[in-house]
Amino acid sequence: MSNFYDKVTGKGWLRRHDGVAAFTVTEVAATLTVATLVIIFFSWLVKKLIIKTKPSLPLPPGPIGWPIIGHLLFIKPDFLQYVTKQSQIHGPIIKLQLGRKVYIIISSPSIAKQILKDHDAIFANRDIPVAAIKGTFGGLDIVWRSNGPELHKLRKLVVSEITSNKSLDACYEFRRREIQYMVKNIHGKIGSPINLSEQIFLTAFNVTINMLWGGSLNGEESNLGLEFRDQFKEFVKLMVEPNISDMFPMLRPFDLQGIESKAKKHISWFYGFFELVIEQRKLGEGPKMADSKDFLQQLLELNQTGDVKTSLSMKEINAMLLNIVIGATDTTFTTIEWAMTELLRHPNKLQRVVEELDAIIGDQNIVEEFHLPRLFYLEAVVKETLRIHPPAPLLMPHMSSETTIIAGYTIPKNSNIYFNVWAIQRDAEFWEDPLQFEPERFLNVIEKRNYKGNSFDFFPFGSGRRICVGISMAEKIIMLMLATLLHCFEWELPNGRKPDVKEKLHLLLSKVEPLVVVPISLAATLTVATLVIIFFSWLVKKLIIKTKPSPPPPPGPIGLPILGHLLFIKPDFLYYVTKQSQIHGPIIKLQLGRKVYIIISSPSIAKQILKDHDAIFANRDIPMASIKGTFGGLDIVWRSNGPELHKLRKLVVSEIMSNKGLNACYEFRRREIRHMVKNIHGKIGSPINLSEQIFLTTFNVTVNMLWGGSLNGKESNLGLEFKDRFEEFLRLMVEPNVSDMFPVLRPFDLQGIESKAKKNISWFYEFFESVIEQRRKLGEGPKMADSKDFLQQLLELNQTGDVKTSLSMKEINAMLLNIISGATDTTFTTMEWAMTELLRHPDKLQRVVDELDAIISGPNIVEEFHLPRLLYLEAVVKETLRIHPPAPLLMPHMSSETTVVAGYTIPKNSNIFFNVWAIQRDADFWEDPLQFEPERFLNVIEKRNYKGNSFDFFPFGSGRRICVGISMAEKIMMLVLATLLHCFEWELPNGGKPNVKEQLRLVLSKVAGKGWLRRHDGLAAFTITEVVATLTVATLVIIYFSRLVKKLIIKTKPSPLPPGPIGLPILGHRLFIKPDFLQYVTEQSKIHGPIIKLQLGRKVYIIISSPSIAKQILKDHDAIFANRDIPVAAIKGTFGGLDIVWRSNGPELHKLRKLVVSEIMSNKGLNACYEFRRREIRHVVKNINGKIGSLINLSEQIFLTTFNITVNMLWGGSLNGEESNLLLEFKDRFEEFSRLMAELNVSDMFPVLRPFDLQGIESKAKKNVSWFYEFFESVIEQRRKLGEGPKMADSKDFLQQLLELNQIGDVKTSISMKEIKAILLSIVTGATDTTFTTIEWAMTELLRHPDKLRRVVEELDAIIGDQNIVEEFHLPRLLYLEAVVKETLRIHPPAPLLMPHMPSETIVVAGYTIPKNSNIFFNVWTIQRDTQFWENPLQFEPERFLNVIEKRNYKGNSFDFFPFGSGRRICVGISMAEKIVMLMLATLLHCFEWELPNGRKPDVKEKLLLVLSKAEPLIVVPVARSSNSMQYQ
């Protein structure tokens, strides 16, 4: 109250008070009045002078206009053409003045993004023109209504009731009926010219009103629909006509141009139409309407409700109906009209659409909506049409609700903002050949452009809050109508005319002339003209291909002439291609004879092929052995992509792999599992061949599901023979075959592979024929009448006469072989590997057993209903499939056409292999990828599954050729593994270790053996023709010289070490480092490049000053560089590196980091101790408040507060009052310790000298660090005493948890007392010194830049207010303060060289050899000041962090801004540091003003120890800001 009283009586903030209270009321009033007028005058004068002399930011540029009327008389030929031309002259953001109205035209994606995404809320209003006011009852519709709750209500209503998937699906029959009616109409006019524009409009109109109220206007009523169109056109013309009443609002009452009265007249027609419909609907109230409600009925019910929040007036209903009918009809019709026009102008594109329709729909079917998602090219045609001819080329105008800065220009409040999407979507900067109609551009994009307004070079329906609500409906209608028109008819232009493409702009960009065409029935033969077009299209394409070379093929190793890389593949194909990918990149090319092999080792490239271009790569190049084994590729695996393949896959999925099919034969699986258990039980205590047992069980489960039989007892030998035969067949299939590499040699079968495969495969088909024969005999009786197994269904399809569904006996045999071999060998291999890995990792095995005991319990047997709950076992299976994928290269895909992928040309008919073995072991995507860690599948944010959606884990493939048997394999694997581990314990004989050598055939199985595509000495043993003999001799000569050249190259030109300055012998560069290490290495990097080498004694230092090289190290090779080379001083200070900062990379480090992150740095941990931070912040405010107007050492105060916050979070204590001296001593001790660590130490440079401690650094560090540990020991002792009582039972701070981990006996989780002390020192020093330094620098920079300081204060006042205190929930909204912190960290990174990394092996980076055990420093100080990445980098400009397209954060993803590091060794305390820095800065600036003593300027000299701090502390004078600081008392 006293503070409030002070304000009233004049004792408040910066107010003089010398006798005011003695004035009379009249005198006071008169004085105030005169003063006010004087102030107003001078304020206006100053403002004008400031605007003239130094405007804050200018208005956007634009052409010179007339006084008063502005640019009105210059707009010709139309507004769109005029603004486009002016934008080309004046830039991507221009200003026009039309009377009193300001128009801003945007022609740049980046500026559009700033407005529609970054400042969407400000620009979400409309400036409604007079004509629209009359047409929408003052803006009661969706289009023109002001932004707010009412608009949100209407948009939500439309989206949920009309444009949701559910609603659109519900009224599909309406669309279908109207489309069929259109086809019927056109069919009656075959061969005659028709006005297609009129027909399209009427259909789109009928589809829309059908969805709204279930009616349409056909037959005689169609004239009413056309009249609706004419009335709307006239109404739109009035809306876009320049209206003096809009430009000069004071003239509105006079309606000088008569636009208002004309609009009123036209709009009355629409509302008369709607009132008629509404009246009919009201008359129709009765029981018939009870079962269903269309949209109009729902609107009428909302009109009758009394709820203010949801009710709608009749005016709102009329306005909404007009919105929806017009928007859905006219926009849709315009797009279809333009699409048809463009296709008629480009016959080759039209032909491709027709071919796609024929392939997907067939010539005997009609177009249905379920076909649409597969019509990729037609979808691309629609998008390309919307790109070139956007229906609303300037979108609907947005209006700014406040004055805003955009792209460096001031946008005045109430400006009209237009987005010239017509120009943006034709801009050569973002689109190649933008004026060409090229739908293909939407097929080959890496990131698919859609209609959601996320891509600001393609947003025909707008973006943000005011994006069109009817996109989903428009897309369905456009696609369905276009597909139907092009599938049912061919189209010609009358008299050989060319399509007219003149544009006419009202609100929509329509054609000037309607599209008049001649429909032709598809039954007619292709005309000569069509054939000529096809011929010339082909000819032009060939010429273009010759004259315009495509991108290069993928890189790869140098091969031999003719043979290519065949003789270099060792030890096997998998390891060879993996090694080559590491050398040449994630996509490589190999040549084996005439065949091209492309190897993919990257998830992103795999996604491009298997998702974006799946249809192109869905074929197979069937090898010779498989041709014999599958009757020419009649099975599922090798059959070419097409209807026949789809038929077979559908049959297998629906009859075997469906839930119904799998559940139906569960009893078969159960029976075989029991039989396996019985067999193993009879051999308890004896060694058994578990692999053999697993194979036989999976084989029997599979054949049981196929035809109800199994091979047990004496017949089991037949199952094992099947296994041997199949393994031999696989060996033949993958053996390098000259007949495959040189197809011309196929007739000779030089290696005999074809004859061996034929002989081998005949065994399988004899086996199947005997089964089929038995089935046929069984099928003659009545026993099979009630049920059918899969084989019986196949046989029935063999007997049917229907060409589409019938199967030949060869197809049946090929399918049976596919299913048995695929289901058996792959499944068995996975289980074999899973058992092996579990035996290698007893702790994982124990966890599986514990889970089984918990879920299944006691004497129960494993049932399939248990499986979904066995989460850890599921994770074991996934981890097995990750490390040991059954098909490590998947089945090869073949490209059906030449395609560009990842910037490389993939030739037609190439064989594409996906190295999932390498991808799933890649350290970029998996932490410790070679470790068997099932837990990684439990803790993922997005669960990885087998559906092929995650391209870093897709062991069963992805896309059209994904394995059909995943669901069956998963059930069998889980059931067999669960049973084996639940029923038995397992031991290896004689204490042996499990063998993990891999053997690669088509599946990656255990046991070392001959690899795939290995070298084989049989090449020289061919039955030689003269050609083969020549090839052999030539090959040997080439091999010799290739090896010779390779050896010479390796000897004479190894990868060099990074460059650097010349050093002295032995000492290296030690004597040249001045004035300090940071300045020295920065100077040398300018001379020698972004990666340099220094030699300090025996130690190699590599300095990185380039974001791209930093990325290679910290992202691409993070695991290699994740260690530390710990200096002598740190060894003493951390008990040999037991802390988080200096500990070597490995499980112990991961344990400590996880502990700190989960218990302190998690949101939960930080929120739990918010009250500690709040209390300390209040304490610092109280302290400073007592020193108002006096000099204070702010650096010291900040340090004290950050230290207290940190220790409060660790053990609930702080050092205030008398104890603060102890804290300052802590600071001094730590600075001394940092100085010792940063000092160049001979003991570090020459490890042989360590015992002598020549500089005394080790002894000083030991003495210094003992002080810290005595301090921690006293804290620990106090905690132990407190912990003896009952008070600590309810809560545990971090120290208490550490002490409990010290007392447990579990080796894996226990922590020694030395580790506890080292961790405490790490956290206290790291959290305190780094945070304090950042706040100190931020305050310094703000005091140097008063304009920035003022902006921060204004933001704080706006967000927090002067009567509130800063709370942490305010922080996310303090965007400018956040930018200040980031800019501070950019210019003054606390650790300017980060902590040094050390490579665990010698590696090549950026073309240079980085020796093992080098010290790698990242010069973030230089990188973050580099003019290549930052504009005016030495200027303190927080605004640069507000206007970036991609927001830079602290996660280490952006390698031009990573002040806290990146990768495995990124700082663990980022989240805590960010909270403390923001909270302290906000509080200091909200509570006080700050002045420098004696008008001095802030000192910016830097001092580098481990942290880059100020050379001199920050001494300032605090000044109270109103009552802000008092709120903290």
Side-chain angles (χ1 to χ4, degrees), residues 174 212-215 277-278 280-298 300-301:
F174 294 145
L212 290 175
W213 60 75
V277 173
I278 291 168
Q280 289 174 348
R281 170 50 46 82
K282 285 180 174 176
L283 291 172
E285 289 177 359
K288 292 182 180 178
M289 299 304 294
D291 295 335
S292 64
K293 297 176 186 176
D294 55 33
F295 185 63
L296 177 57
Q297 191 171 345
Q298 292 181 65
L300 292 175
E301 288 184 5

Side-chain angles (χ1 to χ4, degrees), residues 800-815:
T800 181
D802 185 353
V803 178
K804 288 191 176 180
T805 58
S806 65
L807 292 176
S808 67
M809 283 308 298
K810 287 182 177 179
E811 285 178 307
I812 291 174
N813 275 290
M815 280 185 73

Side-chain angles (χ1 to χ4, degrees), residues 149 257 300 330 370 631 702 863 937 950 1095 1151 1157 1168 1177 1451 1497:
Q257 292 166 268
L300 292 175
D330 216 47
F370 63 76
F631 302 105
T702 306
E863 302 284 2
F937 285 96
S950 176
Q1095 190 87 31
K1151 177 180 76 175
V1157 169
I1177 296 291
K1451 296 179 181 178
K1497 291 185 178 180

Side-chain angles (χ1 to χ4, degrees), residues 33 57 109 131 200 371 502 558 612 723 728 823 1249 1293 1300 1329 1347 1466 1476:
T33 304
L57 283 172
I200 293 168
H371 292 126
K502 288 181 183 174
I558 299 169
D612 301 341
K723 180 187 177 190
E728 176 62 16
L1249 299 177
D1293 56 33
E1300 289 183 5
D1329 212 45
D1347 55 326
I1466 194 171
I1476 296 173

Side-chain angles (χ1 to χ4, degrees), residues 84 141 199 463 588 602 713 1039:
T84 300
D141 63 336
Q199 187 67 58
S463 180
I588 65 169
S602 155
I1039 289 171

Side-chain angles (χ1 to χ4, degrees), residues 236 245 273 288 438 515 531 544 750 827 983 1069 1140 1218 1333:
V236 167
S245 298
F273 175 74
K288 292 182 180 178
E438 290 292 341
L515 183 59
L531 292 173
I544 287 170
L750 297 176
T827 309
C983 293
H1069 303 90
I1140 295 178
E1218 295 178 2
T1333 303

Side-chain angles (χ1 to χ4, degrees), residues 340-342 344-347 492-502 511 513-517:
M340 288 295 294
T341 302
E342 289 290 357
L344 288 169
R345 291 181 69 226
H346 300 87
E492 286 183 359
L493 289 158
N495 307 320
R497 284 188 301 182
K498 291 184 178 180
D500 174 67
V501 288
K502 288 181 183 174
K511 287 177 86 274
E513 299 295 332
L515 183 59
V516 177
V517 286

Side-chain angles (χ1 to χ4, degrees), residues 237-500:
K237 187 173 77 66
L238 291 171
M239 275 217 294
V240 298
E241 188 171 333
N243 188 353
I244 290 175
S245 298
D246 290 323
M247 297 175 207
F248 300 95
M250 65 181 66
L251 300 177
R252 280 191 178 179
F254 307 105
D255 188 23
L256 297 176
Q257 292 166 268
I259 289 176
E260 185 175 351
S261 58
K262 292 175 189 174
K264 192 173 181 180
K265 180 181 175 184
H266 280 289
I267 210 74
S268 64
W269 187 92
F270 294 117
Y271 293 134
F273 175 74
F274 294 141
E275 282 166 11
L276 179 64
V277 173
I278 291 168
E279 191 60 33
Q280 289 174 348
R281 170 50 46 82
K282 285 180 174 176
L283 291 172
E285 289 177 359
K288 292 182 180 178
M289 299 304 294
D291 295 335
S292 64
K293 297 176 186 176
D294 55 33
F295 185 63
L296 177 57
Q297 191 171 345
Q298 292 181 65
L299 292 179
L300 292 175
E301 288 184 5
L302 289 174
N303 170 248
Q304 293 160 4
T305 180
D307 185 351
V308 178
K309 288 187 177 179
T310 58
S311 65
L312 292 177
S313 68
M314 284 307 297
K315 287 182 178 180
E316 285 179 308
I317 291 174
N318 275 289
M320 280 185 71
L321 290 176
L322 182 61
N323 258 185
I324 296 167
V325 174
I326 288 172
T329 302
D330 216 47
T331 307
T332 306
F333 136 73
T334 302
T335 304
I336 299 170
E337 184 183 40
W338 275 119
M340 288 295 294
T341 302
E342 289 290 357
L343 288 172
L344 288 169
R345 291 181 69 226
H346 300 87
N348 55 330
K349 314 297 182 189
L350 175 59
Q351 184 59 37
R352 185 164 175 185
V353 173
V354 171
E355 287 171 358
E356 180 180 65
L357 290 166
D358 290 344
I360 301 298
I361 298 159
D363 57 359
Q364 299 300 313
N365 300 317
I366 65 171
V367 181
E368 302 283 2
E369 280 193 358
F370 63 76
H371 292 126
L372 302 184
R374 296 168 62 200
L375 299 175
F376 299 116
Y377 192 73
L378 181 63
E379 181 188 13
V381 165
V382 173
K383 286 182 176 175
E384 181 70 347
T385 302
L386 288 165
R387 183 187 70 80
I388 297 181
H389 309 286
L394 295 167
L395 300 184
M396 296 302 291
H398 291 233
M399 185 179 76
S400 51
S401 56
E402 60 184 67
T403 299
T404 311
I405 305 298
I406 296 290
Y409 295 106
T410 298
I411 308 298
K413 182 179 177 180
N414 297 333
S415 301
N416 282 271
I417 318 298
Y418 286 93
F419 299 90
N420 192 346
V421 293
W422 185 87
I424 290 171
Q425 295 178 180
R426 295 180 176 212
D427 192 333
E429 188 178 343
F430 310 105
W431 304 89
E432 190 175 350
D433 296 329
L435 301 183
Q436 298 300 312
F437 183 77
E438 290 292 341
E440 288 75 8
R441 72 177 86 239
F442 285 96
L443 297 176
N444 299 326
V445 288
I446 295 173
E447 184 181 12
K448 195 174 183 184
R449 289 182 172 102
N450 53 38
Y451 305 122
K452 296 178 181 178
N454 299 324
S455 177
F456 289 90
D457 54 2
F458 179 74
F459 58 120
F461 295 106
S463 180
R465 284 172 169 79
R466 301 306 293 239
I467 194 171
C468 173
V469 292
I471 297 172
S472 52
M473 181 170 77
E475 191 176 6
K476 281 189 182 288
I477 296 172
I478 292 169
M479 288 284 288
L480 187 61
M481 281 187 69
L482 271 176
T484 302
L485 289 170
L486 297 169
H487 187 246
C488 295
F489 307 100
E490 289 183 358
W491 301 90
E492 286 183 359
L493 289 158
N495 307 320
R497 284 188 301 182
K498 291 184 178 180
D500 174 67

